[in-house]
């Protein structure tokens, strides 16, 4: 969150964390899927236009927001039989329930071969430095910036963060 505000060489700074959960579509039909809990900016970075419905919104990242999910094309086709009425349907992912708000176009798997996307809630990121869950960060270079400039800026930000720790 600090990087979103302070880094000038990068835009659309976001994060994701990976998990595998059982997707339960109907009673007794549980199969594992690759889940990305992801910042909304991931859909901008990867040019993520949905086939149906919508992608995640910033409001979805708020701790009190209703649980929503975006499903991948292959999951929609194989687990939901290409149901054109899947939007609004309640699904179970592990022990949690979510409402399907979107279906991604065929081939979309950002960040790494994912089948389902959930919002990375800000409460997950609201931790003391280096005490929260493991996440992976992504971003785009700002116009006119180089990878070298971004790396130098990140190194400096990392040093500042390390010296600020108790």
């Amino acid at each position: 969150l600090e990087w979103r505000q302070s880094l000038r060489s990068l835009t659309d700074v976001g994060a994701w964390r990976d998990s595998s959960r059982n997707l339960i579509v109907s009673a007794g039909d549980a199969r594992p899927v690759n889940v990305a809990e992801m910042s909304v900016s991931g859909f901008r970075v990867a040019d993520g236009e949905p086939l149906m419905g919508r992608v995640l919104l910033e409001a979805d990242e708020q701790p009190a927001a209703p649980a929503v999910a975006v499903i991948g094309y292959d999951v929609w086709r194989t687990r939901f039989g290409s149901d054109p009425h899947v939007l609004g349907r309640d699904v179970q992912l592990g022990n949690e329930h979510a409402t399907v708000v979107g279906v991604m176009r065929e081939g979309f798997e950002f960040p790494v071969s994912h089948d389902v996307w959930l919002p990375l809630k800000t409460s997950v990121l609201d931790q003391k430095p280096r005490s929260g869950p493991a996440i992976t960060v992504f971003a785009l270079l700002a116009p006119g910036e180089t990878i070298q400039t971004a790396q130098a800026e990140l190194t400096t930000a990392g040093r500042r963060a390390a010296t600020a720790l108790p």
Side-chain angles (χ1 to χ4, degrees):
L1 293 173
E2 281 184 38
W3 286 356
R4 282 182 185 168
Q5 298 167 355
S6 65
L7 298 178
R8 291 180 173 82
S9 61
L10 300 173
T11 65
D12 285 319
V13 177
W16 64 277
R17 69 180 185 162
D18 192 37
S19 68
S20 179
R21 299 186 193 181
N22 281 327
L23 172 62
I24 301 168
V25 176
S26 59
D29 184 19
R31 294 184 221 161
V33 291
N34 294 322
V35 176
E37 290 180 62
M38 185 172 77
S39 301
V40 174
S41 57
F43 292 100
R44 291 189 300 267
V45 166
D47 191 24
E49 288 295 319
L51 174 69
M52 295 179 359
R54 66 172 176 88
V55 295
L56 301 174
L57 305 173
E58 289 183 14
D60 297 328
E61 294 180 347
Q62 300 307 309
V68 296
V70 175
I71 60 174
Y73 180 86
D74 288 340
V75 168
W76 173 64
R77 190 177 48 76
T78 60
R79 300 297 309 280
F80 295 92
S82 302
D83 180 1
H85 305 291
V86 71
L87 300 179
R89 186 165 171 182
D90 181 67
V91 295
Q92 186 174 346
L93 289 157
N95 295 324
E96 300 174 11
H97 287 263
T99 301
V100 176
V101 295
V103 176
M104 293 309 294
R105 68 181 187 277
E106 188 172 10
F108 185 87
E109 297 180 332
F110 183 82
V112 183
S113 299
H114 287 96
D115 305 308
V116 175
W117 296 267
L118 304 175
L120 183 62
K121 301 279 187 171
T122 53
S123 59
V124 170
L125 301 176
D126 194 17
Q127 307 280 330
K128 291 180 184 177
R130 299 183 187 182
S131 67
I135 60 171
T136 302
V137 176
F138 56 81
L140 290 175
L141 281 173
E145 296 292 345
T146 65
I147 191 79
Q148 293 81 10
T149 303
Q151 288 172 333
E153 195 174 37
L154 285 166
T155 300
T156 300
R159 287 188 189 128
R160 277 195 310 264
T163 58
L165 291 175

